[in-house]
């Protein structure tokens, strides 16, 4: 039963509901909307067997209640009462086996975008919600630059080949910002060319992987001299450490 595929089901304008499926069953990550998921399950004659939720934002959990009306399945999510119907409230280091799939996930706490955000890591995959995007990171609604730095640092300790399934299709916009923050980084130009081709063909630019983020993500690369220099110049003061650089980049991007 270890054969499976991961398919993006589109929701809203740029969300992906990552759908882990085999010939019979499907598990969904961050079901912000039920209708496109139900349409996909019906078209593919799949039975929903689990829901995974990374954080409480409605565009990530808004479809859970409706999906549960059709399928009585476990819901794996953070310890946060703002998310209803979670049957397995998880924290850092806890593990679970995805029903009907030979996949074991471990939970990584990554508070920053929200204070209880978690990520799911297993079988060479990372589902990181709105914490990290290709060449970018989530906004700090409930956390600090220090927390985001710690979250990204944990992700960067995973094997380079780990496939990274992010919550949104933000790659092209992120690359535009990354080119300003990390000028002269040739890996960004390669990523831009690859991503543009995919978007022109209406294809997702995801999953990314850890090696790609190490090479292209300015929020990961905030210890690189070039990124420190650019962030310092933009902030108008010398930024000495990775956390200050990340904070300055986040603010710059919020206002750009
Ligand atoms: Zn969010």
């Amino acid at each position: 039963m270890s054969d499976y595929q991961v398919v993006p089901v589109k929701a809203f304008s740029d969300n992906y509901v990552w759908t882990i499926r085999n010939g019979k069953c499907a598990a969904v990550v961050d079901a912000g909307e039920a209708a496109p998921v139900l349409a996909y399950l019906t078209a593919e004659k799949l039975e929903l067997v689990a829901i995974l939720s990374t954080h409480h934002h409605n565009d990530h959990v808004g479809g859970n209640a409706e999906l549960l009306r059709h399928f009585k399945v476990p819901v794996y999510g953070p310890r946060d009462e703002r998310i209803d119907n979670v049957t397995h409230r998880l924290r850092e280091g806890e593990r679970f086996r995805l029903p009907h799939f030979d996949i074991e996930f471990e939970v990584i706490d990554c508070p920053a975008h929200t204070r209880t955000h978690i990520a799911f890591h297993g079988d060479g995959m990372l589902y990181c919600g709105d914490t990290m995007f290709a060449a970018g990171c989530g906004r700090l609604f409930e956390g600090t630059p220090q927390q985001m730095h710690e979250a990204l640092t944990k992700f960067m300790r995973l094997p380079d080949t780990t496939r990274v399934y992010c919550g949104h299709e933000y790659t092209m916009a992120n690359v535009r910002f990354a080119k300003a923050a990390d000028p002269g980084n040739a890996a960004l130009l390669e990523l831009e060319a690859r991503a543009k081709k995919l978007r022109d063909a209406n294809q997702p630019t995801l999953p990314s992987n850890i090696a790609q983020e190490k090479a292209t993500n300015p929020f990961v690369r905030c210890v690189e001299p070039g990124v420190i220099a650019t962030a310092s110049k933009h902030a108008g003061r010398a930024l000495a450490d990775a956390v200050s650089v990340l904070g300055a980049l986040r603010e710059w991007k919020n206002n750009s």
Side-chain angles (χ1 to χ4, degrees):
M1 286 281 285
S2 65
D3 266 2
Y4 64 88
Q5 294 171 275
V6 182
V7 177
V9 171
K10 286 194 216 169
F12 306 110
S13 61
D14 52 28
N15 281 75
Y16 290 130
V17 181
W18 292 109
T19 303
I20 302 167
R21 61 158 294 181
N22 56 28
K24 279 184 172 169
C25 303
V28 290
V29 184
D30 284 354
E33 239 185 331
V37 175
L38 290 169
Y40 180 78
L41 296 173
T42 303
E44 298 287 317
K45 299 186 169 58
L46 296 171
E47 182 195 343
L48 188 69
V49 297
I51 299 171
L52 283 65
S53 301
T54 62
H55 68 292
H56 76 283
H57 285 159
N58 200 54
D59 64 320
H60 292 254
V61 299
N64 288 6
E66 177 68 15
L67 291 176
L68 290 169
R69 273 192 276 280
H70 292 81
F71 302 95
K72 299 281 167 254
V73 299
V75 180
Y76 302 87
R79 292 172 180 245
D80 190 326
E81 301 306 321
R82 293 175 293 187
I83 310 176
D84 294 331
N85 303 313
V86 176
T87 57
H88 297 69
R89 295 194 182 270
L90 303 163
R91 63 158 74 114
E92 176 91 7
E94 290 188 300
R95 292 166 179 272
F96 64 94
R97 192 160 283 278
L98 193 62
H100 300 267
F101 291 88
D102 189 19
I103 302 173
E104 188 184 54
F105 281 115
E106 67 158 328
V107 171
I108 299 175
D109 279 343
C110 44
H113 176 68
T114 71
R115 62 181 164 76
T116 59
H117 201 303
I118 60 173
F120 301 97
H121 170 241
D123 210 23
M125 303 180 284
L126 175 70
Y127 294 89
C128 58
D130 286 355
T131 301
M132 182 168 73
F133 301 109
C137 74
R139 285 176 183 260
L140 299 172
F141 288 119
E142 300 178 354
T144 62
Q146 173 76 42
Q147 287 176 310
M148 180 57 81
H149 178 64
E150 285 166 12
L152 298 179
T153 301
K154 281 190 213 175
F155 295 164
M156 292 308 119
R157 286 194 204 112
L158 301 174
D160 275 354
T161 53
T162 307
R163 297 182 301 287
V164 178
Y165 296 90
C166 319
H168 292 267
E169 179 61 63
Y170 286 163
T171 310
M172 287 304 290
N174 285 348
V175 167
R176 270 194 295 281
F177 175 78
K179 281 167 65 184
D182 191 5
N185 180 351
L188 277 170
L189 303 180
E190 287 166 35
L191 172 60
E192 182 177 46
R194 206 163 63 239
K196 185 175 186 312
K197 222 179 249 179
L198 287 165
R199 295 311 295 149
D200 286 349
N202 201 25
Q203 295 293 312
T205 62
L206 303 171
S208 177
N209 59 64
I210 297 297
Q212 179 182 315
E213 294 315 305
K214 284 179 180 168
T216 59
N217 193 320
F219 297 92
V220 167
R221 292 168 55 79
C222 50
V223 292
E224 295 291 324
V227 179
I228 296 173
T230 319
S232 296
K233 192 172 168 211
H234 192 267
R237 61 199 164 92
L239 303 168
D241 59 286
V243 173
S244 317
V245 173
L246 190 153
L249 290 178
R250 190 58 264 180
E251 221 159 276
W252 177 5
K253 186 157 196 287
N254 289 350
N255 299 319
S256 67

